[in-house]
Amino acid sequence: MSRPLVDPRPRIPAIYRTDEREAIQEMARDFAMREVLPVANELDPERGLIPDSLRAKMGELGFFGILVPEEDGGLGLGVFEYALITEELSRAWMSVASIITRSGIAAALDPTQRAAILPLAARGQWLGAYAMSEPGAGSDIASIRTRADKVDGGWLITGQKMWCTFADQSDGIIVVARTTPYDPARRRDGIRRFIVYKKPGELPAGCTGTPVRKIGYHGWHTFELSFDNCFVPDDGLLGYEQTDGQQDGGFKRVAEGMLTPRIHTAARSIGLARGALEDSIKYVQEREQFGHAIGDFQVTRFKIAKMAAEIESCRALMYEVAADVDAGEMSDVRAAMLKYSASEMSERVTSEALQLHGGAGYTTDFPIERYWRDARLTKIFEGTSEIMQRLISDRLLPPTPFR
């Protein structure tokens, strides 16, 4: 007797479910499968760029304005809805789920700067890039050496930055720099953020860049940037940093700004894993060996079961953490737990999916290898798995002398 099959696509738990959230999820899912997935399957193997036409459609649907207040032209939704949409887009192409964060960079600006930019950003008409990491400063933000020297009318930025995605196509780059000499005893002092405005398709004057040769995360370029007396006018210093009385205020804002991005990365990880699971469920029912579909063999069925259970566990934690943040409970340690668990899960699940596809999975004829490559990155950006473990353990154990 046939039995009804469970749909592997996510269903919002009753405790969080609303008609609006279900409609948002379904809309994002339809857009991802109808508009994004065919483009990803075509362009990712060629390392092509996300088309402007696709970005325009995303802007019309409000994807760039999810977290932007309604009074600023956005949807005024929460982190929960942000995670819902991100998972659906990542199921098709993680790069498209990532580009929606480019409008969120405008939210880091002070109220005066935001007034001019945020309404455009909410429609995807102003997108930014973020230059924080350096050759010698990745997870260790306090080791930043890029300088911002005060001159008449502004600042001159000099130094190197790594991993600045979308630097060329953006409308502006937020640069994290040091306005005081580096002091090993007071490493957090003097760190400030600057907005360097520019034209899309160009780098700003005083800045040169080289695209990083990535193995994945295609659809846009990621740059190594060199700043050589790049001039930023006085109003390019983020207003928060201008009025902050704390010497380490800029450092704290950079660190605190990682909370939502880590939930976003967890949603990307879950979307990648789900794409691999859904494709694998279909494939194992079609691929035959020894006279049977490989999905008839217990070893295959148990792999599918484990993949689905791991995804569902991480999604449940994501819903809970996102709901807590929307309720005002800004738990950095739980966001770290979520980001760590989801990214580690995503690599395992996508790797297992590739194994289920056999040799076919190791070709660009199937999107499995794309999910696998991109999943590996989620363990690195927005804080490595090792940094997540440090954040968690530092809240559970007494301080260590190794600081």
Side-chain angles (χ1 to χ4, degrees):
M1 183 176 65
S2 62
R3 293 167 296 174
L5 299 180
V6 174
D7 190 337
R9 297 177 300 179
R11 179 170 173 77
I12 303 170
I15 191 173
Y16 306 119
R17 191 184 309 146
T18 65
D19 291 343
E20 181 184 33
R21 284 175 173 171
E22 286 191 310
I24 288 170
Q25 184 183 53
E26 185 60 36
M27 178 269 292
R29 180 179 299 161
D30 177 71
F31 179 83
M33 301 306 291
R34 178 171 44 84
E35 299 283 354
V36 181
L37 187 60
V39 173
N41 290 341
E42 176 187 354
L43 295 183
D44 191 271
E46 303 172 357
R47 303 191 178 192
L49 298 180
I50 298 170
D52 290 344
S53 58
L54 183 61
R55 285 165 47 186
K57 292 177 182 177
M58 294 170 66
E60 291 171 3
L61 291 173
F63 288 154
F64 293 104
I66 300 168
L67 297 176
V68 178
E70 290 185 84
E71 58 267 27
D72 292 315
L75 298 181
L77 300 174
V79 175
F80 195 100
E81 290 79 12
Y82 191 45
L84 287 179
I85 293 172
T86 296
E87 179 186 340
E88 296 301 332
L89 295 178
S90 289
R91 188 265 175 263
W93 198 6
M94 186 177 77
S95 297
V96 166
S98 301
I99 201 172
I100 64 175
T101 67
R102 303 295 114 180
S103 61
I105 289 174
L109 305 178
D110 69 77
T112 301
Q113 295 160 333
R114 287 176 55 167
I117 294 175
L118 210 50
L120 295 174
R123 299 191 296 271
Q125 297 172 1
W126 192 101
L127 302 178
Y130 197 69
M132 180 178 70
S133 295
E134 298 181 2
S139 300
D140 185 6
I141 303 171
S143 291
I144 282 173
R145 301 298 182 96
T146 295
R147 303 191 327 272
D149 298 318
K150 190 70 181 73
V151 295
D152 289 342
W155 303 79
L156 294 177
I157 297 179
T158 300
Q160 287 186 295
K161 291 294 181 181
M162 290 292 298
W163 319 120
C164 186
T165 300
F166 206 59
D168 54 340
Q169 299 179 70
S170 67
D171 296 275
I173 304 173
I174 290 184
V175 181
V176 181
R178 186 178 295 278
T179 58
T180 59
Y182 178 79
D183 181 354
R186 301 180 61 85
R187 299 187 311 137
R188 297 182 176 186
D189 291 356
I191 293 178
R192 299 290 182 265
R193 295 171 298 173
F194 298 81
I195 176 70
V196 183
Y197 297 102
K198 54 179 284 299
K199 294 181 179 179
E202 302 176 4
L203 293 177
C207 176
T208 57
T210 303
V212 177
R213 296 187 294 272
K214 303 176 293 185
I215 65 171
Y217 205 34
H218 302 314
W220 47 1
H221 298 305
T222 299
F223 281 83
E224 176 182 0
L225 300 176
S226 294
F227 292 89
D228 184 11
N229 288 327
C230 176
F231 179 75
V232 180
D234 282 327
D235 61 5
L237 174 63
L238 266 63
Y240 294 118
E241 271 74 30
Q242 294 177 28
T243 59
D244 202 321
Q246 296 178 310
Q247 289 297 313
D248 63 350
F251 172 86
K252 289 180 177 178
R253 284 200 168 86
V254 171
E256 291 168 354
M258 300 301 292
L259 179 65
T260 298
R262 284 171 182 159
I263 298 173
H264 177 254
T265 296
R268 289 184 283 181
S269 301
I270 293 165
L272 289 168
R274 195 184 102 219
L277 172 66
E278 291 179 3
D279 286 5
S280 295
I281 290 173
K282 181 175 184 290
Y283 183 79
V284 301
Q285 294 177 79
E286 298 172 346
R287 172 67 168 164
E288 292 189 359
Q289 288 290 277
F290 308 106
H292 294 272
I294 63 173
D296 290 342
F297 297 109
Q298 188 180 72
V299 66
T300 301
R301 301 175 76 87
F302 281 13
K303 286 179 184 290
I304 293 292
K306 184 178 180 181
M307 292 160 66
E310 289 198 64
I311 294 170
E312 192 65 31
S313 296
C314 287
R315 183 183 293 118
L317 179 58
M318 178 182 73
Y319 286 157
E320 185 175 323
V321 173
D324 281 351
V325 171
D326 285 338
E329 298 184 14
M330 311 297 279
S331 176
D332 56 340
V333 68
R334 299 192 71 224
M337 289 177 176
L338 167 63
K339 195 271 183 186
Y340 170 73
S341 299
S343 60
E344 293 286 330
M345 173 278 296
S346 188
E347 186 191 23
R348 287 194 303 271
V349 167
T350 56
S351 180
E352 196 71 277
L354 193 151
Q355 188 73 17
L356 287 172
H357 280 70
Y362 204 67
T363 71
T364 56
D365 295 331
F366 292 80
I368 292 297
E369 59 85 30
R370 177 172 79 245
Y371 301 140
W372 178 53
R373 284 185 286 108
D374 286 350
R376 186 61 184 83
L377 179 58
T378 66
K379 294 174 56 174
I380 298 173
F381 62 10
E382 310 298 358
T384 64
S385 289
E386 291 73 23
I387 289 296
M388 295 303 100
Q389 291 177 85
R390 174 174 175 173
L391 291 173
I392 297 164
S393 62
D394 281 354
R395 297 290 291 273
L396 300 174
L397 294 168
T400 172
F402 303 107
R403 286 289 185 180

